Amino acid sequence: MALDPRWPLALFRGAAPIALGLMLWVAIAGGEQERHQTLKAQPEGNAAILADRRRHNELVMMALREAAQTDDNVSQRQVPWRK
């Protein structure tokens, strides 16, 4: 039983996309660990900064809630709160 000469070409055509996908996956997975290390080193991990950011978000939400509940143009009035 002789092999058809087209088999090696067919195997190569089938294996090439799989090999390319595997190489891309390995390249991205290696960079993922570095990205996690960079994110851990960011100052946003500090509890004081997170508390300050939460307070700021609360103030913004209060202003948005007040703007939604009134018919006045709240963008033109003086803002009593500061960041």
Side-chain angles (χ1 to χ4, degrees):
M1 180 173 186
L3 282 177
D4 190 3
R6 294 179 293 181
W7 268 102
L9 183 60
L11 286 174
F12 176 75
R13 285 183 178 170
I18 293 171
L20 179 63
L22 183 62
M23 287 189 300
L24 288 174
W25 181 76
V26 167
I28 291 172
E32 187 75 14
Q33 291 174 350
E34 182 180 327
R35 188 178 69 85
H36 281 294
Q37 294 295 344
T38 304
L39 288 175
K40 285 181 184 177
Q42 299 249 335
E44 284 82 14
N46 188 352
I49 293 174
L50 288 176
D52 185 43
R53 184 168 291 156
R54 281 189 192 104
R55 178 66 183 142
H56 177 258
N57 288 343
E58 288 172 6
L59 293 173
V60 169
M61 289 306 294
M62 285 174 28
L64 289 173
R65 198 172 299 118
E66 179 186 355
Q69 292 173 351
T70 183
D71 290 334
D72 297 338
N73 187 352
V74 295
S75 65
Q76 297 299 322
R77 98 180 119 146
Q78 290 292 327
V79 179
W81 54 271
R82 299 267 182 234
K83 178 178 173 184

